[in-house]
Amino acid sequence: MKHKVIKKQQNSKKCLVCGLKNDLGLKTSFYELENGELVAIFTPIEEHQSYPERMHGGIAGAILDETIGRAIMIKDKNIWGVTVELNVKYKKPVPLHEELRVVGRITRDSSRLFEGTGEILLSNGEVAVTAIGKYMKMPIEKIANFDEADQEWQTVWSDQDPSEIEL
Ligand SMILES: CCCCCCCC(=O)SCCNC(=O)CCNC(=O)[C@H](O)C(C)(C)COP(=O)(O)OP(=O)(O)OC[C@H]1O[C@@H](n2cnc3c(N)ncnc32)[C@H](O)[C@@H]1OP(=O)(O)O
């Protein structure tokens, strides 16, 4: 089923998952969908491997962690969190060099904590990795010295940005 993209989220400079100036990073794009889910799109490269041609399980955890952690921003772009728990299940190997979609959504939201689930989808739509994450809400000033301009926290548009995403 196709879902309309309603917003593209910000990237940053050096984050492993979303930093556009991190040469070894995933350079992920994040899209908010009209159904309330967040989709991450990235293509793993050789530097993200574990065994040859297989994406590292830690990279799978990283992309799921950030996709779920950012899904809360659909509701309010000013809610920031730090991961306190992440449970990852590896069901199928994830190949390198293929564009992957990762879907995340919030399943519980309270004043101090939020929880969500996510999946890495293979190009044929099969679910390869799943995760459940729990995050503690914190003001960004308490997490880090995060100057948005310095960290290049901004929406960067591309010709490749989809207007709809098939899930
Ligand atoms: C763009 C945004 C994308 C975000 C996605 C990526 C996010 C990340 O990768 S963040 C990096 C990884 N995570 C971290 O670095 C977090 C490290 N942990 C910490 O800094 C601390 O443990 C921190 C701040 C979460 C809690 O510290 P602190 O407040 O001292 O802990 P503590 O006093 O034990 O707990 C405070 C409260 O939280 C509760 N709590 C703590 N952990 C949990 C948990 N896992 N589940 C439920 N409740 C918890 C405690 O029960 C306690 O409640 P109460 O006050 O009622 O007794």
Side-chain angles (χ1 to χ4, degrees):
M1 187 178 171
K2 284 190 173 172
H3 298 278
K4 199 172 161 200
V5 172
I6 52 173
K7 188 181 164 189
K8 185 177 186 184
Q9 290 192 346
Q10 291 92 334
N11 282 83
S12 75
K13 186 164 66 173
K14 287 290 184 183
C15 170
L16 174 69
V17 173
C18 71
L20 296 179
K21 293 188 179 159
N22 181 336
D23 291 341
L24 299 179
L26 310 187
K27 299 187 172 68
T28 309
S29 296
F30 291 92
Y31 302 98
E32 298 181 3
L33 302 184
E34 61 182 346
N35 70 351
E37 293 183 316
L38 185 72
V39 172
I41 297 183
F42 77 110
T43 302
I45 57 175
E46 208 169 8
E47 286 75 7
H48 304 143
Q49 75 174 40
S50 53
Y51 295 102
E53 296 306 318
R54 185 180 293 232
M55 190 173 83
H56 200 288
I59 296 289
I63 182 71
L64 282 159
D65 179 21
E66 182 146 343
T67 305
I68 302 167
R70 279 171 171 259
I72 194 72
M73 292 174 154
I74 295 176
K75 179 179 176 185
D76 180 346
K77 68 180 173 57
N78 296 312
I79 301 179
W80 299 82
V82 293
T83 317
V84 290
E85 290 177 27
L86 187 69
N87 184 297
V88 185
K89 288 188 181 166
Y90 299 92
K91 296 169 182 289
K92 291 179 192 298
V94 178
L96 305 175
H97 312 300
E98 279 179 26
E99 186 176 275
L100 298 169
R101 288 158 297 152
V102 186
V103 193
R105 83 270 319 150
I106 299 304
T107 52
R108 184 163 167 259
D109 183 18
S110 69
S111 56
R112 290 175 74 183
L113 295 163
F114 66 90
E115 294 175 19
T117 59
E119 304 89 38
I120 298 180
L121 306 177
L122 301 179
S123 50
N124 66 3
E126 283 186 296
V127 174
V129 189
T130 66
I132 301 176
K134 187 189 278 189
Y135 303 77
M136 187 172 290
K137 292 180 182 176
M138 288 178 73
I140 188 67
E141 323 74 79
K142 288 207 172 164
I143 300 176
N145 181 11
F146 190 84
D147 179 89
E148 291 195 5
D150 186 49
Q151 295 302 315
E152 300 181 20
W153 180 251
Q154 58 197 6
T155 303
V156 180
W157 304 101
S158 146
D159 291 347
Q160 313 291 321
D161 291 328
S163 57
E164 292 181 324
I165 295 176
E166 177 96 41
L167 291 179

